[in-house]
Amino acid sequence: MLLQDFHSDAILTSDHRITYAEMLRRITQFSRFIPQSTADEALLPPQQRRKVVVFSENREGYIYAFFSIWLNRCIAVPVDAQMKAEELAYILNNCKPDAVWTSKGKEKVVKEAMALLENDDAAAPNCLLIDDYERMECADSVEMADLQFQMEQTALIIYTSGTTGHAKGVMLSFRNLMTNVKAVCHDVPFFTTDRRTLILLPLHHVLPLVGTMICPLYMGAGVAISPSMSAPDLMKTMQAGRIGMMVGVPRLWQTLYQGIMKKIDASVLTRSLYNLCAKVNSVKFSKFIFKKVHQMLGGNLQACISGGAALDPAIWKGMCTLGIELVEGYGMTECAPMITFSRPDDLIPACAGRALPSCEVCIKDGEICARGDNVMQGYYGMEAETAATIDTDGWIHTGDLGYLDEKGHLFITGRKKELIVLSNGKNINPGELEQMLETNKERVKEAAVVEDDGVLKAIICPQALWAAGREVTELETALKREVIEPFNKSVSTYKQMHGVFVYDGELPRTRLDKLKRYQLADIVAACKSGKSAERKVEESEPTSDEYRRISEYVAKEKGIDVLPSYHLISDIGFDSLDMVGFECFLDQTFGVELEQDEIQAFANIAQLADYVTQHRMDLREENVDWKKQLSEDTKVEKTPEVGPLLWWLVKGSRRWAKWYFNMQTIGLENVPKDGQFILVANHQSYLDALFVLHGFQKDVFRNLRFFAKEEHVKGGFVRYLAQKHGVVVLKMSKVKDSIMKLGEVLRDGRSLLIFPEGTRTNDGEVNEFRPTFAIFSLALNIPVLPVCIDGAYEAMPKHQKMPSRKPIKLTYLPMLHPSDFADENEMAKAVQEAVTKVLNKK
């Protein structure tokens, strides 16, 4: 039996815990809505079997939907949730499923795909929404699923994304899958009963399907699903779930490593400790030194697996220096997926490990070949392609090049299908040359080698900082002189580059980070036509603040120049990690919530910025008579009085701030001794709320109320202060209710402290002041006290936990009265300009 009741939690989400018993009952419940096959029907050839597609993002219901297919003895067909309708239609036409499990967010794509189906006698598949069943009532009387199967039955058809552009349906049996499961759960126990696994990668790939869903659930350790791939959500999920196992692609480990190293490089001490760990070369020692890093990752992380593409040895070595051991494996979808993997006691840089216990590996004419119970049944409906891949002796020809050392360790050197055969008969491995070109990290962000006009040429995406301000022709000349010429001197004559194309985007890759070489010809053609250069000359940028901030964010994240006509995917190369971070940026900066599909639907950045301008959440776009709304009695809960603890905390911090920061306080004559006001300040650091209160006497201070986002008052001492000391918490899901609560505070005669930027500055510059405070001022006729904080960003920027000893200056500006302004936007702009003017006098 594949799954059983382990009397523990099977699935953890951000708001839900599901036991094994509940999961098994829900699998049974899901199975009642899809076709069911008899035991005899399950033995039929795959073409005659019932099939069910799963087309959804990762979620709790994905697990129920997937296993319900196996419970009903059908073949599961997991499909990439980011596919377009045309691509999905191809798969539906090819495998002809009886049903499709999908989500509300993907329902539109499914319907568009069904409209494109070939007109034959077959009925269209039934479309079922996971959302409708995921949290439906499930009684204890529902029978727990008993997943039984025969090893030779086809379990999956997985369509490869591939690097050649031609998708094929890989048929995998239960024997293929269980060979992999047995290898990492029993033969070499990576997956154990106490290592909960983080579900992170899209489950339509066989690596995360087996490695992050099937194996941990099979062993009884369970899984955790992060609500997004943003750093805060990942860290929170890892800590709450005490994650013991992670499976990721090289891009994930690179992102994680670079994020940690940014913080380490920011301090001479931590950089010195890192260098010490590199010399000591002990994982235990590194874990002790970088204990805080491991606590940030949940404190229970014991094993990390990298797969899908080759891992940069420098990243592998760097992670080991941090005390995080990465185990690298090698495989392909056709082997379910593993062929080789490293053992914890046998880790070698750039090595893909040794063969699975039940798998043989050999090298034939330089090509890696494998044979064993993990090798697929074949390509669905493609007998000729199957025969071309699996020879008569049962060896699958992987198309990868490599070699085995005397102990059976496998080393990958390139792709056979990617070999470039020159007119002189020489075989060129482009991957080898690309890796050499990319060692020039100062100038080259990424590179691809192509054949053009019978010779080798390089497509180079230059580093943004190095390329800034240079024209394309100037860049070509510089790259030839500073990159190509030194490269040509280091290789044999037949490997030399005879030209360079400058590309201002990112090279096309699969979701597992493999280069799509079949698309390189289009890039060469675009470079030859000069379209990139033309766009830079002809385009004029929108003047809106929204476009500026979005383009600056994208440019900073991807390190490229951004144009209004650029699309986030096709031009800029955003992947799923980038998109999640961008979703968070839009929400936090503008209060605009958009899903990945919605973001991708915009033709370019200019259109996206225009949408954000129209829908940003700052209250000014709402057609609301706030004067009337805020004047009416409400039934909101009263805000607590400010307790003595906070007063003594502020009073005690004054002497400390004067000593530690050499704090100057200017404009104390502008601080009111009584009466009501709205205090408005720029936001530079975590300590700003304490700083701005330094100029107030006790009676005025006790009349103040405070305004904070829900995310900033979670847990511990901060939550206690918020609950007991007059903090009005803004709930993003109930903005209007929070605004009315603030109105109740002001109508009660209280004063209010607001940071109108909404969040701390990322770079020390003043962000746009949202006019919420001005709405209150004009609607209730309350004056505004502007305050300028200068130096707090340098003392304690974002992500720095302890403040540095830097001078801070606090300036209280003259009070502004609502009668002097026509509307809230004019007032907000005037306050922002007053604060910015003080900062610019430095």
Side-chain angles (χ1 to χ4, degrees):
M1 185 166 64
L2 183 63
L3 300 176
Q4 56 183 298
D5 182 7
F6 288 94
H7 306 290
S8 58
D9 291 330
I11 306 169
L12 300 184
T13 69
S14 60
D15 64 346
H16 202 39
R17 286 178 176 265
I18 301 95
T19 64
Y20 269 89
E22 181 182 352
M23 178 186 73
L24 292 170
R25 286 196 295 270
R26 289 193 176 279
I27 290 170
T28 299
Q29 196 165 32
F30 267 57
S31 72
R32 295 171 177 174
F33 301 97
I34 59 173
Q36 185 174 13
S37 298
T38 64
D40 291 336
E41 289 173 339
L43 299 175
L44 293 172
Q47 285 78 3
Q48 300 175 36
R49 294 270 308 278
R50 292 184 181 274
K51 307 170 193 72
V52 179
V53 165
V54 185
F55 182 70
S56 168
E57 60 284 302
N58 291 357
R59 59 190 297 167
E60 166 192 342
Y62 191 112
I63 297 173
Y64 310 145
F66 179 86
F67 285 118
S68 73
I69 300 169
W70 282 358
L71 181 63
N72 282 8
R73 302 189 184 92
C74 299
I75 297 175
V77 187
V79 176
D80 186 353
Q82 298 303 316
M83 274 190 174
K84 304 299 181 186
E86 295 78 7
E87 298 169 310
L88 178 59
Y90 167 79
I91 291 176
L92 297 180
N93 273 322
N94 187 253
C95 70
K96 294 182 169 48
D98 294 88
V100 177
W101 280 114
T102 190
S103 64
K104 286 184 179 179
K106 304 298 175 182
E107 183 181 17
K108 181 181 177 182
V109 179
V110 174
K111 290 181 177 180
E112 290 174 354
M114 288 186 177
L116 298 173
L117 294 182
E118 295 173 356
N119 187 16
D120 55 21
D121 295 333
N126 185 25
C127 182
L128 299 149
L129 296 182
I130 292 174
D131 309 64
D132 294 341
Y133 307 95
E134 190 172 52
R135 295 286 177 90
M136 70 183 298
E137 188 70 26
C138 185
D140 291 344
S141 58
V142 175
E143 183 181 356
M144 287 192 283
D146 182 8
L147 288 167
Q148 304 286 348
F149 52 82
Q150 295 189 26
M151 285 294 205
E152 303 310 322
Q153 289 177 349
T154 302
L156 292 173
I157 298 177
I158 292 189
Y159 284 82
T160 57
S161 56
T163 58
T164 62
H166 184 56
K168 298 187 288 287
V170 177
M171 296 185 294
L172 298 174
S173 68
F174 282 103
R175 184 178 301 281
N176 298 151
L177 297 174
M178 294 309 296
T179 297
N180 276 265
V181 172
K182 181 176 180 292
V184 292
C185 292
H186 300 300
D187 297 331
V188 182
F190 282 104
F191 293 90
T192 61
T193 57
D194 62 344
R195 291 182 180 177
R196 188 181 306 281
T197 300
L198 180 66
I199 291 182
L200 189 62
L201 303 176
L203 289 172
H204 71 275
H205 289 297
V206 70
L207 170 64
L209 185 71
V210 174
T212 70
M213 187 177 85
I214 295 176
C215 284
L217 289 175
Y218 167 78
M219 287 301 294
V223 300
I225 304 175
S226 176
S228 79
M229 294 180 74
S230 66
D233 280 341
L234 286 178
M235 296 303 103
K236 183 178 179 181
T237 302
M238 293 185 71
Q239 291 164 7
R242 292 186 54 78
I243 297 301
M245 168 75 76
M246 280 183 68
V247 179
V249 293
R251 178 73 66 86
L252 172 66
W253 305 119
Q254 179 182 353
T255 301
L256 179 61
Y257 174 70
Q258 290 175 345
I260 295 172
M261 288 306 297
K262 280 183 181 179
K263 296 182 179 180
I264 289 177
D265 288 337
S267 166
V268 175
L269 174 61
T270 52
R271 184 67 199 182
S272 299
L273 290 173
Y274 178 85
N275 293 334
L276 175 63
C277 289
K279 290 180 180 179
V280 173
N281 194 28
S282 166
V283 171
K284 287 186 177 179
F285 180 74
S286 294
K287 282 185 176 180
F288 173 75
I289 294 297
F290 293 110
K291 185 178 180 180
K292 286 188 177 180
V293 172
H294 290 266
Q295 289 175 340
M296 179 184 69
L297 298 174
N300 197 51
L301 192 60
Q302 301 172 54
C304 297
I305 296 175
S306 179
L311 179 69
D312 184 346
I315 301 296
W316 182 87
K317 178 63 176 175
M319 293 290 276
C320 286
T321 302
L322 293 170
I324 302 172
E325 284 189 304
L326 274 177
V327 178
E328 194 168 3
Y330 163 73
M332 58 195 302
T333 303
E334 289 85 343
C335 290
M338 285 191 303
I339 296 174
T340 66
F341 66 100
S342 298
R343 277 59 167 179
D345 58 350
D346 187 26
L347 299 177
I348 302 173
C351 174
R354 292 179 281 123
L356 269 71
S358 60
C359 178
E360 299 175 78
V361 177
C362 72
I363 307 297
K364 294 187 177 185
D365 298 324
E367 182 181 10
I368 302 167
C369 297
R371 181 170 64 182
D373 289 340
N374 56 326
V375 176
M376 68 172 179
Q377 295 176 313
Y379 294 116
Y380 183 75
M382 295 181 173
E383 289 76 11
E385 287 83 352
T386 301
T389 305
I390 304 176
D391 64 26
T392 54
D393 293 325
W395 292 98
I396 185 168
H397 292 248
T398 66
D400 290 313
L401 303 174
Y403 65 91
L404 293 165
D405 69 8
E406 64 279 1
K407 294 184 178 180
H409 296 110
L410 179 65
F411 294 84
I412 315 296
T413 59
R415 286 283 295 167
K416 182 177 181 180
K417 293 177 182 179
E418 295 172 355
L419 286 180
I420 298 173
V421 182
L422 299 176
S423 56
N424 60 9
K426 295 288 187 180
N427 291 336
I428 303 297
N429 176 6
E432 172 194 358
L433 304 184
E434 289 158 0
Q435 197 171 36
M436 293 176 66
L437 289 167
E438 290 174 356
T439 58
N440 195 326
K441 297 185 183 298
E442 181 184 348
R443 299 166 181 82
V444 181
K445 184 169 63 175
E446 55 180 344
V449 173
V450 295
E451 181 184 14
D452 183 59
D453 296 331
V455 297
L456 293 179
K457 295 183 181 179
I459 301 172
I460 292 181
C461 304
Q463 292 287 5
L465 290 176
W466 178 79
R470 304 192 191 192
E471 297 293 334
V472 173
T473 53
E474 184 183 353
L475 284 172
E476 287 177 354
T477 302
L479 287 172
K480 286 177 183 178
R481 183 179 66 255
E482 301 174 29
V483 177
I484 300 302
E485 289 179 11
F487 169 85
N488 285 344
K489 291 177 181 178
S490 67
V491 298
S492 302
T493 304
Y494 70 92
K495 293 182 178 179
Q496 292 179 349
M497 299 294 114
H498 297 274
V500 62
F501 298 107
V502 179
Y503 185 54
D504 67 350
E506 288 201 351
L507 297 178
R509 298 183 182 274
T510 68
R511 296 187 74 191
L512 289 184
D513 213 31
K514 295 179 181 178
L515 193 59
K516 294 182 180 179
R517 296 193 179 274
Y518 67 95
Q519 292 185 8
L520 296 180
D522 293 335
I523 292 177
V524 169
C527 291
K528 284 184 173 181
S529 68
K531 287 182 179 179
S532 296
E534 289 172 10
R535 288 209 299 189
K536 286 184 179 178
V537 172
E538 295 173 1
E539 290 191 30
S540 58
E541 295 193 340
T543 58
S544 70
D545 177 66
E546 290 76 15
Y547 173 79
R548 176 186 63 79
R549 295 171 75 176
I550 290 172
S551 61
E552 286 176 353
Y553 172 88
V554 174
K556 184 177 180 181
E557 288 294 308
K558 305 303 290 184
I560 62 173
D561 292 332
V562 176
L563 296 176
S565 64
Y566 276 4
H567 186 271
L568 287 170
I569 303 298
S570 58
D571 289 311
I572 296 173
F574 262 31
D575 59 18
S576 55
L577 286 170
D578 296 320
M579 291 298 286
V580 171
F582 190 61
E583 287 180 56
C584 295
F585 164 75
L586 292 178
D587 185 18
Q588 293 174 1
T589 307
F590 306 109
V592 173
E593 295 184 9
L594 288 172
E595 300 291 336
Q596 288 191 26
D597 289 346
E598 295 174 311
I599 295 173
Q600 293 178 32
F602 292 100
N604 51 52
I605 293 180
Q607 286 190 13
L608 172 61
D610 184 57
Y611 175 89
V612 171
T613 300
Q614 298 178 45
H615 294 83
R616 61 182 296 168
M617 190 211 75
D618 58 10
L619 305 181
R620 62 183 157 198
E621 299 297 336
E622 295 188 28
N623 186 21
V624 178
D625 184 349
W626 286 107
K627 184 173 183 179
K628 180 181 178 182
Q629 291 276 347
L630 295 171
S631 299
E632 295 177 352
D633 287 332
T634 59
K635 297 181 180 180
V636 298
E637 182 183 349
K638 293 284 186 180
T639 304
E641 297 290 323
V642 176
L645 176 61
L646 187 58
W647 165 247
W648 285 108
L649 179 64
V650 171
K651 188 175 180 180
S653 70
R654 292 177 181 176
R655 290 185 179 180
W656 170 73
K658 188 173 182 179
W659 165 75
Y660 192 81
F661 299 112
N662 191 25
M663 179 176 279
Q664 290 181 276
T665 306
I666 300 172
L668 285 173
E669 67 277 7
N670 296 317
V671 177
K673 301 298 186 293
D674 53 29
Q676 187 182 20
F677 58 92
I678 300 174
L679 191 156
V680 175
N682 59 313
H683 204 358
Q684 292 196 336
S685 79
Y686 192 72
L687 299 174
D688 288 350
L690 287 176
F691 294 155
V692 298
L693 298 173
H694 281 197
F696 293 95
Q697 298 301 315
K698 185 175 181 179
D699 291 342
V700 178
F701 170 79
R702 294 291 299 273
N703 196 49
L704 265 174
R705 297 295 178 265
F706 310 98
F707 177 43
K709 287 184 181 179
E710 187 177 23
E711 65 190 77
H712 293 155
V713 291
K714 289 183 177 180
F717 185 60
V718 175
R719 173 182 283 183
Y720 171 80
L721 285 178
Q723 291 175 341
K724 302 296 183 181
H725 294 82
V727 176
V728 180
V729 179
L730 171 63
K731 296 183 178 181
M732 297 305 291
S733 58
K734 297 181 178 180
V735 177
K736 189 173 179 180
D737 289 349
S738 298
I739 297 301
M740 296 307 293
K741 190 171 184 178
L742 285 173
E744 181 71 27
V745 167
L746 292 168
R747 288 196 306 108
D748 198 30
R750 307 297 186 177
S751 295
L752 185 67
L753 165 60
I754 293 181
F755 294 104
E757 292 169 276
T759 187
R760 285 168 284 164
T761 177
N762 288 314
D763 53 12
E765 298 295 323
V766 176
N767 294 320
E768 182 186 7
F769 278 21
R770 298 179 184 178
T772 311
F773 73 91
I775 290 175
F776 292 135
S777 176
L778 271 69
L780 301 175
N781 195 32
I782 301 172
V784 170
L785 174 65
V787 182
C788 176
I789 303 171
D790 186 5
Y793 171 75
E794 288 76 12
M796 194 177 184
K798 271 188 176 182
H799 312 304
Q800 182 173 311
K801 292 186 177 180
M802 293 299 294
S804 305
R805 296 195 71 173
K806 305 283 186 180
I808 295 176
K809 183 169 69 173
L810 194 67
T811 304
Y812 296 96
L813 300 171
M815 199 91 77
L816 298 177
H817 296 274
S819 58
D820 296 331
F821 301 95
D823 58 39
E824 63 269 15
N825 294 321
E826 182 184 341
M827 187 178 205
K829 184 178 180 181
V831 174
Q832 181 177 344
E833 289 177 349
V835 170
T836 305
K837 185 176 180 181
V838 175
L839 285 175
N840 291 339
K841 286 183 178 180
K842 290 193 295 184

